[in-house]
PDB file of all heavy atoms in Angstrom:
ATOM      1  N   GLU A   2     -19.227 -39.776 -43.789  1.00 38.00           N
ATOM      2  CA  GLU A   2     -20.489 -40.406 -44.129  1.00 38.00           C
ATOM      3  C   GLU A   2     -20.264 -41.560 -45.104  1.00 38.00           C
ATOM      4  O   GLU A   2     -21.003 -42.527 -45.116  1.00 38.00           O
ATOM      5  CB  GLU A   2     -21.435 -39.369 -44.737  1.00 38.00           C
ATOM      6  CG  GLU A   2     -21.877 -38.315 -43.725  1.00 38.00           C
ATOM      7  CD  GLU A   2     -22.750 -37.261 -44.353  1.00 38.00           C
ATOM      8  OE1 GLU A   2     -22.688 -37.098 -45.582  1.00 38.00           O
ATOM      9  OE2 GLU A   2     -23.505 -36.603 -43.628  1.00 38.00           O
ATOM     10  N   TYR A   3     -19.268 -41.447 -45.950  1.00 37.00           N
ATOM     11  CA  TYR A   3     -18.966 -42.499 -46.899  1.00 37.00           C
ATOM     12  C   TYR A   3     -17.490 -42.839 -46.769  1.00 37.00           C
ATOM     13  O   TYR A   3     -16.642 -41.954 -46.724  1.00 37.00           O
ATOM     14  CB  TYR A   3     -19.269 -42.047 -48.329  1.00 37.00           C
ATOM     15  CG  TYR A   3     -18.941 -43.107 -49.344  1.00 37.00           C
ATOM     16  CD1 TYR A   3     -19.857 -44.072 -49.665  1.00 37.00           C
ATOM     17  CD2 TYR A   3     -17.689 -43.126 -49.943  1.00 37.00           C
ATOM     18  CE1 TYR A   3     -19.556 -45.054 -50.593  1.00 37.00           C
ATOM     19  CE2 TYR A   3     -17.375 -44.112 -50.862  1.00 37.00           C
ATOM     20  CZ  TYR A   3     -18.313 -45.066 -51.183  1.00 37.00           C
ATOM     21  OH  TYR A   3     -18.005 -46.034 -52.083  1.00 37.00           O
ATOM     22  N   GLU A  14      -5.718 -49.431 -36.953  1.00 91.00           N
ATOM     23  CA  GLU A  14      -4.324 -49.003 -36.867  1.00 91.00           C
ATOM     24  C   GLU A  14      -4.202 -47.663 -36.153  1.00 91.00           C
ATOM     25  O   GLU A  14      -3.293 -47.456 -35.346  1.00 91.00           O
ATOM     26  CB  GLU A  14      -3.730 -48.916 -38.269  1.00 91.00           C
ATOM     27  CG  GLU A  14      -3.711 -50.244 -39.021  1.00 91.00           C
ATOM     28  CD  GLU A  14      -3.307 -50.096 -40.469  1.00 91.00           C
ATOM     29  OE1 GLU A  14      -2.972 -48.958 -40.857  1.00 91.00           O
ATOM     30  OE2 GLU A  14      -3.334 -51.100 -41.200  1.00 91.00           O
ATOM     31  N   ASP A  39     -17.098 -52.957 -38.936  1.00 88.00           N
ATOM     32  CA  ASP A  39     -16.957 -54.414 -38.844  1.00 88.00           C
ATOM     33  C   ASP A  39     -17.306 -54.860 -37.428  1.00 88.00           C
ATOM     34  O   ASP A  39     -16.433 -55.042 -36.585  1.00 88.00           O
ATOM     35  CB  ASP A  39     -15.532 -54.841 -39.200  1.00 88.00           C
ATOM     36  CG  ASP A  39     -15.388 -56.357 -39.238  1.00 88.00           C
ATOM     37  OD1 ASP A  39     -16.411 -57.057 -39.059  1.00 88.00           O
ATOM     38  OD2 ASP A  39     -14.265 -56.851 -39.454  1.00 88.00           O
ATOM     39  N   ASN A  61     -17.786 -50.165 -19.062  1.00 96.00           N
ATOM     40  CA  ASN A  61     -17.716 -50.359 -20.509  1.00 96.00           C
ATOM     41  C   ASN A  61     -16.628 -51.355 -20.889  1.00 96.00           C
ATOM     42  O   ASN A  61     -16.759 -52.075 -21.886  1.00 96.00           O
ATOM     43  CB  ASN A  61     -17.464 -49.022 -21.212  1.00 96.00           C
ATOM     44  CG  ASN A  61     -18.738 -48.208 -21.381  1.00 96.00           C
ATOM     45  OD1 ASN A  61     -19.812 -48.753 -21.623  1.00 96.00           O
ATOM     46  ND2 ASN A  61     -18.625 -46.895 -21.229  1.00 96.00           N
ATOM     47  N   GLN A 122      -7.488 -63.916  -2.961  1.00 90.00           N
ATOM     48  CA  GLN A 122      -7.008 -63.169  -1.799  1.00 90.00           C
ATOM     49  C   GLN A 122      -8.052 -62.192  -1.303  1.00 90.00           C
ATOM     50  O   GLN A 122      -8.253 -62.041  -0.084  1.00 90.00           O
ATOM     51  CB  GLN A 122      -5.712 -62.436  -2.157  1.00 90.00           C
ATOM     52  CG  GLN A 122      -4.519 -63.349  -2.386  1.00 90.00           C
ATOM     53  CD  GLN A 122      -3.310 -62.604  -2.880  1.00 90.00           C
ATOM     54  OE1 GLN A 122      -3.381 -61.418  -3.215  1.00 90.00           O
ATOM     55  NE2 GLN A 122      -2.166 -63.280  -2.947  1.00 90.00           N
ATOM     56  N   LEU A 124     -11.328 -62.402  -1.709  1.00 86.00           N
ATOM     57  CA  LEU A 124     -12.488 -63.103  -1.163  1.00 86.00           C
ATOM     58  C   LEU A 124     -12.190 -63.742   0.182  1.00 86.00           C
ATOM     59  O   LEU A 124     -13.084 -63.882   1.026  1.00 86.00           O
ATOM     60  CB  LEU A 124     -12.963 -64.168  -2.162  1.00 86.00           C
ATOM     61  CG  LEU A 124     -13.599 -63.628  -3.445  1.00 86.00           C
ATOM     62  CD1 LEU A 124     -13.888 -64.760  -4.409  1.00 86.00           C
ATOM     63  CD2 LEU A 124     -14.885 -62.870  -3.135  1.00 86.00           C
ATOM     64  N   ASN A 140     -15.312 -46.246  -8.483  1.00 45.00           N
ATOM     65  CA  ASN A 140     -14.833 -47.352  -7.687  1.00 45.00           C
ATOM     66  C   ASN A 140     -13.385 -47.106  -7.302  1.00 45.00           C
ATOM     67  O   ASN A 140     -12.676 -46.316  -7.916  1.00 45.00           O
ATOM     68  CB  ASN A 140     -14.946 -48.669  -8.464  1.00 45.00           C
ATOM     69  CG  ASN A 140     -16.395 -49.029  -8.728  1.00 45.00           C
ATOM     70  OD1 ASN A 140     -17.124 -49.374  -7.809  1.00 45.00           O
ATOM     71  ND2 ASN A 140     -16.807 -48.915  -9.975  1.00 45.00           N
ATOM     72  N   ALA A 226     -55.241 -51.438 -70.081  1.00 58.00           N
ATOM     73  CA  ALA A 226     -56.545 -51.768 -70.664  1.00 58.00           C
ATOM     74  C   ALA A 226     -57.281 -52.775 -69.796  1.00 58.00           C
ATOM     75  O   ALA A 226     -58.496 -52.667 -69.571  1.00 58.00           O
ATOM     76  CB  ALA A 226     -56.358 -52.306 -72.087  1.00 58.00           C
TER      77      ALA A 226
END
Side-chain angles (χ1 to χ4, degrees):
E2 292 177 338
Y3 179 86
E14 298 172 4
D39 185 4
N61 279 324
Q122 291 174 351
L124 290 174
N140 294 290

